[in-house]
Amino acid sequence: MNQFTFNILLADDDVDDCDFFKEALEETSVQARLFMVHDGVQLMNYLEKNAPDNLPDVLFLDLNMPRKNGLECISEIKQNKGLAEVPIIIFSTSLDSEIVETLFKKGASYYIRKPGDFSKLKKVIENALTTASAENFKQPARASFVLQS
């Protein structure tokens, strides 16, 4: 059976979090190629360089990054016709209800609070990818927007 291979882009300035994400992804049943950038400027450069034919299937976006934060990035992505369809899963340590609401309104596909536990991280990454892809990465109802680990 041929399984779809996801091209995943992770935008996160924390190298330890990136390594943690990579290791967790490798231990899921999901087939994926992972690309990483470490700040918002690198993210936007990567997307613009790879548009329109080589965009990621999904972007995991941290909010607190240097040079350009996740809120600025999602605004730019959603305003750019060539990038607006890239599914964005917010991946942040924060779970501020106002920020979650803002990101929902800006068009993020899902919101994940980074778990500190490795097994929970594996579970939430796999759940995010299987749930989101089953829904064609369309934004769910607000009640299902935040994915729990």
Side-chain angles (χ1 to χ4, degrees):
M1 175 168 88
N2 286 341
Q3 186 176 8
F4 181 78
T5 299
F6 290 97
N7 287 312
I8 297 171
L9 178 58
L10 173 62
D12 195 326
D13 64 311
D14 187 312
V15 176
D16 291 336
D17 283 355
C18 289
D19 291 342
F20 205 42
F21 186 98
K22 181 178 188 277
E23 289 172 27
L25 179 63
E26 288 170 352
E27 291 193 20
T28 69
S29 65
V30 175
Q31 296 295 312
R33 281 186 295 272
L34 179 63
F35 304 90
M36 292 184 250
V37 294
H38 301 291
D39 67 49
V41 172
Q42 285 181 355
L43 169 61
M44 296 313 298
N45 289 340
Y46 179 97
L47 292 173
E48 289 165 12
K49 183 180 121 195
N50 287 285
D53 299 322
N54 199 25
L55 290 170
D57 296 311
V58 61
L59 165 63
F60 281 81
L61 178 62
D62 184 29
L63 294 179
N64 299 312
M65 295 186 297
R67 301 193 331 163
K68 190 176 288 195
N69 68 38
L71 280 169
E72 293 169 310
C73 291
I74 194 172
S75 293
E76 282 185 41
I77 291 166
K78 293 301 180 181
Q79 290 172 8
N80 182 321
K81 267 188 173 171
L83 304 176
E85 295 305 311
V86 172
I88 300 171
I89 298 176
I90 303 301
F91 191 62
S92 180
T93 53
S94 167
L95 193 60
D96 180 287
S97 59
E98 286 181 31
I99 292 173
V100 170
E101 192 62 35
T102 297
L103 291 161
F104 181 79
K105 288 177 182 172
K106 287 186 178 287
S109 297
Y110 287 95
Y111 191 104
I112 297 171
R113 184 175 188 182
K114 291 180 185 178
D117 178 80
F118 188 73
S119 63
K120 287 182 179 179
L121 179 61
K122 286 191 315 189
K123 182 180 173 189
V124 77
I125 290 171
E126 188 161 12
N127 182 35
L129 290 170
T130 54
T131 301
S133 65
E135 298 297 324
N136 236 5
F137 289 97
K138 299 295 180 220
Q139 189 184 56
R142 174 63 184 89
S144 302
F145 180 62
V146 176
L147 293 175
Q148 303 296 328
S149 53

